[in-house]
Amino acid sequence: PPELLRHAGEEFVYVLSGSVDVYTDQYKPLSLKSGDSCYFDSNMGHALVSTSEEEAQVIWVCSRVTAPLSE
């Protein structure tokens, strides 16, 4: 697998077309196809790799958890 990324926050992946494998440093690779999704903590090492003949299309949402603003 490619180099795993890690950073503060949370991530959601939804596969629009094609298929991908989600690699993490804590779990076995997860295969996702069109219509599948996953959600994980971004502090865990992670990478997404297309596994379909055509280029996979995904919605990949990353949020960053920050400290609340002081009043």
Side-chain angles (χ1 to χ4, degrees):
E3 182 178 335
L4 299 179
L5 305 172
R6 78 178 66 244
H7 50 87
E10 299 171 329
E11 305 203 24
F12 173 78
V13 177
Y14 179 83
V15 181
L16 295 169
S17 65
S19 57
V20 297
D21 282 349
V22 180
Y23 291 90
T24 68
D25 61 3
Q26 296 183 18
Y27 301 102
K28 292 180 184 177
L30 174 64
S31 295
L32 302 175
K33 61 184 188 318
S34 181
D36 292 340
S37 64
C38 71
Y39 172 85
F40 55 90
D41 185 321
S42 303
N43 287 304
M44 174 175 58
H46 59 280
L48 197 67
V49 176
S50 177
T51 57
S52 51
E53 288 186 27
E54 72 280 0
E55 189 173 286
Q57 293 185 348
V58 302
I59 296 174
W60 194 341
V61 180
C62 304
S63 68
R64 185 165 190 182
V65 179
T66 59
L69 298 173
S70 53
E71 296 181 19

